[in-house]
Amino acid sequence: DAEEVMTVAGLLAFLGKRQGILEGVCITGGEPTLHPELPALLREVQALGYAVKLDTNGYRPEVLGAILDAGLLDYVAMDLKNGPEAYGQTVGLAHADLAKIRESIGLLMASGTQFELRTTVVKPLHSVKSVTSMANWLRETTNGKPIPRLFVQPFVDRDTVPVGGFSAPTATELEQFCRILGPCAERVELRGT
């Protein structure tokens, strides 16, 4: 219900004026795959010569697969929220359909498109136990094949966070989470520290 900040036509005009200056456009959200006009927007942005990155939660694999198949993405950053037992709580659902997340990871692995998975770790939602569970689930999902890049990001409190009581893990905990996730990816790094 928010007031529109810029129309699609305005965005495309803005990008048209910056051709040769800007290199790429990141489509982020909320969740961009909820918008039926997403493929058309991606085509328009690509037609202007921009590389396109999509930020997604992976919960709409049918949309992700269609836009990957259409060659509309140069890079994808997908959130991996937590281990299976804590996924629903982390995303605010009684039950999270992890088959959708698994399918999206499989689509990315098979696509040839560059991608990363990223996990924002939050106290009290993430622990050694939940991150170990996430690592085991991810290895199972990829049949032991490491993904290219996995980033661990500490939670940052903002005024847009609707509930309190969350904090970032300590530096020691962040490093421990990276070690646990190490076998899941060719490269595991801390981001935002």
Side-chain angles (χ1 to χ4, degrees), residues 1-5:
D1 296 331
E3 185 177 323
E4 188 173 64
V5 175

Side-chain angles (χ1 to χ4, degrees), residues 151-156 158 168 174 189-193:
F151 291 94
V152 175
Q153 310 171 147
F155 168 78
V156 176
R158 293 185 166 85
L174 290 168
E189 290 182 31
L190 283 175
R191 180 186 277 162
T193 58

Side-chain angles (χ1 to χ4, degrees), residues 121-143:
V121 287
V122 183
K123 277 184 164 183
L125 299 174
H126 294 87
S127 63
V128 168
K129 180 179 177 182
S130 72
V131 172
T132 300
S133 175
M134 179 169 48
N136 292 337
W137 181 79
L138 184 55
R139 280 195 302 275
E140 176 189 308
T141 296
T142 64
N143 295 314

Side-chain angles (χ1 to χ4, degrees), residues 3-191:
E3 185 177 323
E4 188 173 64
V5 175
M6 181 183 286
T7 65
V8 171
L11 171 65
L12 295 171
F14 173 87
L15 293 173
K17 291 178 184 175
R18 282 151 185 86
Q19 287 174 299
I21 299 169
L22 301 177
E23 296 176 17
V25 174
C26 177
I27 308 294
T28 188
E31 176 53 40
T33 61
L34 290 170
H35 299 281
E37 65 278 0
L38 178 63
L41 175 63
L42 297 175
R43 280 186 192 88
E44 299 248 22
V45 171
Q46 274 191 337
L48 291 170
Y50 289 102
V52 179
K53 174 186 176 240
L54 176 72
D55 288 348
T56 182
N57 64 19
Y59 216 66
R60 302 204 58 219
E62 67 283 0
V63 175
L64 179 61
I67 57 181
L68 284 167
D69 288 347
L72 298 174
L73 299 172
D74 297 289
Y75 194 87
V76 177
M78 186 177 125
D79 296 321
L80 187 61
K81 300 294 188 178
N82 210 328
E85 300 82 8
Y87 216 97
Q89 178 189 14
T90 304
V91 299
L93 295 174
H95 170 74
D97 187 351
L98 294 182
K100 292 180 179 189
I101 306 303
R102 182 186 299 266
E103 184 178 349
S104 289
I105 293 170
L107 290 167
L108 290 168
M109 295 283 290
S111 71
T113 300
Q114 292 186 37
F115 75 96
E116 68 184 54
L117 296 184
R118 59 191 183 184
T119 299
T120 302
V121 287
V122 183
K123 277 184 164 183
L125 299 174
H126 294 87
S127 63
V128 168
K129 180 179 177 182
S130 72
V131 172
T132 300
S133 175
M134 179 169 48
N136 292 337
W137 181 79
L138 184 55
R139 280 195 302 275
E140 176 189 308
T141 296
T142 64
N143 295 314
K145 184 177 179 187
I147 61 164
R149 288 167 290 282
L150 195 154
F151 291 94
V152 175
Q153 310 171 147
F155 168 78
V156 176
D157 198 10
R158 293 185 166 85
D159 59 0
T160 56
V161 177
V163 293
F166 296 127
S167 63
T170 66
T172 301
E173 289 169 318
L174 290 168
E175 290 169 8
Q176 186 174 21
F177 294 162
C178 285
R179 282 193 302 276
I180 292 167
L181 292 165
C184 299
E186 294 170 13
R187 195 171 105 206
V188 176
E189 290 182 31
L190 283 175
R191 180 186 277 162

